[in-house]
Amino acid sequence: MEAVFQAPKRRARVYEAYEAPLPVPTSEQDVTQQHHLVYKAELLNNRVIVRDPSHIQALYNKGYFGKGILSRSRPEHSLSERWKSHGDIHLPVISYTRYQAQVQLAQDALQAQGLEEEVINQTLERLTQPVEPLTADSTGSKDRRTESGKDQVNGHEVPLSPQVKGDTESCEDTTLHVLDSSLEQSNPSDGLRSEGEDSPEAKRQRRQGNPDYDPLAYLYPDEPKQLDETALAQVRCVRHDDWIIHCGCRLRDSQLEAVPLTKGGVQDYEYVLVEEQQEDESIQSLGNANDRDSKTLVCRINPFRIIEHLQLGLEEAFFLVYALGCLSIYDHKEPLSIIQLWEIFRMVQPNFEATYAAYHYFRCRGWVPKTGVKYGSDFMLYRKGPPFYHASYSVVVERVDDSFKGATLRPFSWRSLAALSRITGNVNKELMFCYVIMPSNMTEEMLGSPECIKNIQVQEIILSRWVSSRERSDQDEI
């Protein structure tokens, strides 16, 4: 029986614009105007996590890869859904009970670090003090660092927490960070003073830009800007198939704007507006219940920040690494090769080569596959992305050989198959079986390399429930 393909159902309300199908340049014009940014992820507890906020937004907005670890889908977790203006900026509004819970979380985190009780109490006391009204220009200068290497909040020195001393890009398995933690920062203007007129460094001949030493001086006559090496390590050269930091070329102006400049790992404080009971004797003497319940908004520091990250599925992560080449995955600060990732993912997820082959197949045909675990399937197929259309198909992946025989991933009985078909129909989806056909000469040694994907074939079959009454009505019309 020939399958009848139904048009995807568009969502009634769409609140965003469609940016791009993939997080890489998709046309010749994009390739010439943009650099090919390589995003960074970490392998934690056999899960692929993206921490950088700009990388999170790029990967999700362009192709809808992954999901927020604190959200249903889009990584948009916020401390509160209510926001109000405070000076020149907008801040989240939380209740006093929620604020006390944040303080308790900060206290528990400090105690877990083995700090003394007196130090913990002093730190919490200074962090919970009300702060002065903020402006957009003062948010960055409000929290200064003293010469002793301590944070300064409203004139009070706050001792640094030892939790994140060191590299802020560490691969520790935690998403919760106490606010009063950072590295001791040196003044960025010190390097400029060292190269002043009286410094010997100013008299040294610089080879960069000097035509006697630099063959590219006619292209780059000026000295290069001071850029972070970690940012340069994520940018590819437009002339050579290599990283900018390795080939020695200079960045173009359009690329300079896209390279993030780090500030040494200093995290700005997160401010909140706390609803607190207004303490006024004149109000209490009136005896009006509505007046007594009046609350005022007090600007305070959130002592315990919960930062959301993006979690990628194994198939999604490997597609970004292998098919697009726009993702680099690190394990304990060491980049993993494609072969290493293939071996790790096969060890973590049984039959990974079959599920990835199906994922690769549907992605290459313009679909956006997302996990279908809540519908009892492997993938859900979306046109363009979940914000625009409802899922069209619920996909079950099966691995077979050339004769369509083989051990199934989930052995179906007639009862379980009928139940899955009924569930899929009740949510207005179609059930699709995706058969990943392995060649008969495929050996285990060949499966140890992702190059085996080139020899695998995929075939889809749409399964629909037969309804006798509908069949009789169709015959009567004929």
Side-chain angles (χ1 to χ4, degrees), residues 9-40:
K9 294 183 179 180
R10 186 174 179 85
R11 293 189 181 272
R13 295 180 178 87
V14 178
Y15 300 98
E16 60 184 87
Y18 184 70
E19 292 192 17
L22 297 171
V24 293
T26 55
S27 63
E28 295 182 359
Q29 183 178 3
D30 294 338
V31 172
T32 57
Q33 293 182 355
Q34 301 178 5
H35 68 283
H36 186 40
L37 179 64
V38 177
Y39 307 101
K40 180 181 178 181

Side-chain angles (χ1 to χ4, degrees), residues 22-83:
L22 297 171
V24 293
T26 55
S27 63
E28 295 182 359
Q29 183 178 3
D30 294 338
V31 172
T32 57
Q33 293 182 355
Q34 301 178 5
H35 68 283
H36 186 40
L37 179 64
V38 177
Y39 307 101
K40 180 181 178 181
E42 300 174 8
L43 187 64
L44 299 175
N45 294 333
N46 297 328
R47 297 293 181 268
V48 181
I49 302 296
V50 181
R51 297 182 181 271
D52 191 293
S54 61
H55 295 183
I56 290 175
Q57 294 301 322
L59 290 175
Y60 191 85
N61 293 337
K62 300 178 181 180
Y64 299 95
F65 290 89
K67 68 173 295 293
I69 60 174
L70 301 176
S71 306
R72 295 181 58 185
S73 181
R74 174 179 291 277
E76 55 183 5
H77 172 75
S78 177
L79 191 62
S80 174
E81 296 181 357
R82 294 186 300 157
W83 291 70

Side-chain angles (χ1 to χ4, degrees), residues 320-375:
L320 292 170
V321 174
Y322 174 71
L324 301 183
C326 65
L327 182 69
S328 181
I329 301 179
Y330 290 77
D331 184 16
H332 297 89
K333 300 183 182 181
E334 293 293 332
L336 298 175
S337 64
I338 295 178
I339 298 297
Q340 290 175 326
L341 288 174
W342 179 263
E343 294 175 352
I344 293 174
F345 291 169
R346 287 191 66 205
M347 180 177 59
V348 171
Q349 181 174 311
N351 213 43
F352 172 76
E353 57 273 5
T355 55
Y356 175 74
Y359 182 91
H360 190 112
Y361 174 82
F362 289 117
R363 268 287 182 182
C364 292
R365 277 153 181 75
W367 293 100
V368 178
K370 304 296 289 185
T371 179
V373 62
K374 63 181 179 180
Y375 296 113

Side-chain angles (χ1 to χ4, degrees), residues 11 72 370-382 390-391 393-396 410 412 419-429 431:
R11 293 189 181 272
R72 295 181 58 185
K370 304 296 289 185
T371 179
V373 62
K374 63 181 179 180
Y375 296 113
S377 60
D378 293 304
F379 299 113
M380 306 296 294
L381 299 185
Y382 294 85
H390 294 280
Y393 300 100
S394 179
V395 181
V396 175
R410 52 175 70 80
F412 283 108
L420 180 60
S421 177
R422 178 63 65 92
I423 292 174
T424 305
N426 288 343
V427 293
N428 295 324
K429 310 288 187 295
L431 182 60

Side-chain angles (χ1 to χ4, degrees), residues 144-395:
R144 297 183 177 88
R145 190 170 299 278
T146 61
E147 295 180 358
S148 60
K150 298 181 179 181
D151 288 339
Q152 188 174 10
V153 181
N154 288 347
H156 300 284
E157 290 186 355
V158 180
L160 296 179
S161 169
Q163 181 177 359
V164 290
K165 284 184 178 180
D167 188 5
T168 56
E169 296 292 334
S170 60
C171 300
E172 56 185 7
D173 186 14
T174 176
T175 60
L176 307 179
H177 298 276
V178 180
L179 183 62
D180 58 335
S181 56
S182 183
L183 288 171
E184 297 184 4
Q185 299 300 317
S186 60
N187 193 343
S189 62
D190 294 342
L192 298 178
R193 289 195 210 97
S194 62
E195 297 183 4
E197 297 180 357
D198 299 334
S199 174
E201 189 71 12
K203 302 178 181 179
R204 181 178 61 86
Q205 179 66 39
R206 296 172 179 172
R207 295 188 176 184
Q208 182 71 36
N210 189 339
D212 295 335
Y213 300 95
D214 187 4
L216 300 179
Y218 68 96
L219 293 177
Y220 313 118
D222 300 327
E223 281 293 308
K225 295 183 179 180
Q226 300 269 343
L227 293 177
D228 182 26
E229 292 186 358
T230 59
L232 291 176
Q234 301 173 356
V235 181
R236 280 189 175 274
C237 179
V238 296
R239 293 189 179 91
H240 314 95
D241 187 16
D242 200 355
W243 305 108
I244 282 286
I245 195 173
H246 293 157
C247 68
C249 292
R250 293 279 298 278
L251 290 176
R252 296 178 177 178
D253 294 337
S254 60
Q255 293 176 317
L256 287 173
E257 298 176 356
V259 176
L261 298 178
T262 61
K263 299 180 180 179
V266 177
Q267 289 185 338
D268 295 333
Y269 288 124
E270 180 182 19
Y271 297 95
V272 294
L273 295 177
V274 184
E275 291 182 332
E276 299 184 6
Q277 198 72 27
Q278 187 174 0
E279 297 180 359
D280 194 342
E281 296 179 358
S282 61
I283 294 180
Q284 294 178 358
S285 61
L286 294 177
N288 190 342
N290 294 331
D291 292 339
R292 286 197 302 266
D293 294 340
S294 61
K295 297 180 180 179
T296 181
L297 297 179
V298 180
C299 183
R300 296 181 181 273
I301 297 174
N302 179 20
F304 192 81
R305 298 186 65 179
I306 302 178
I307 303 175
E308 184 172 31
H309 303 311
L310 184 73
Q311 178 176 337
L312 297 173
L314 299 185
E315 293 84 4
E316 293 175 320
F318 196 79
F319 181 81
L320 292 170
V321 174
Y322 174 71
L324 301 183
C326 65
L327 182 69
S328 181
I329 301 179
Y330 290 77
D331 184 16
H332 297 89
K333 300 183 182 181
E334 293 293 332
L336 298 175
S337 64
I338 295 178
I339 298 297
Q340 290 175 326
L341 288 174
W342 179 263
E343 294 175 352
I344 293 174
F345 291 169
R346 287 191 66 205
M347 180 177 59
V348 171
Q349 181 174 311
N351 213 43
F352 172 76
E353 57 273 5
T355 55
Y356 175 74
Y359 182 91
H360 190 112
Y361 174 82
F362 289 117
R363 268 287 182 182
C364 292
R365 277 153 181 75
W367 293 100
V368 178
K370 304 296 289 185
T371 179
V373 62
K374 63 181 179 180
Y375 296 113
S377 60
D378 293 304
F379 299 113
M380 306 296 294
L381 299 185
Y382 294 85
R383 181 174 184 257
K384 296 178 70 173
F388 306 100
Y389 289 88
H390 294 280
S392 300
Y393 300 100
S394 179
V395 181

Side-chain angles (χ1 to χ4, degrees), residues 89-136:
I89 60 177
H90 295 273
L91 298 177
V93 180
I94 62 175
S95 63
Y96 186 74
T97 304
R98 175 66 183 276
Y99 179 74
Q100 290 297 326
Q102 295 293 108
V103 175
Q104 184 61 41
L105 289 174
Q107 181 179 359
D108 295 341
L110 290 173
Q111 290 177 349
Q113 298 175 23
L115 299 180
E116 297 181 358
E117 195 69 24
E118 182 180 359
V119 176
I120 295 176
N121 294 334
Q122 292 177 358
T123 303
L124 292 178
E125 181 180 359
R126 291 163 182 168
L127 284 176
T128 53
Q129 293 293 329
V131 298
E132 299 175 0
L134 304 174
T135 60

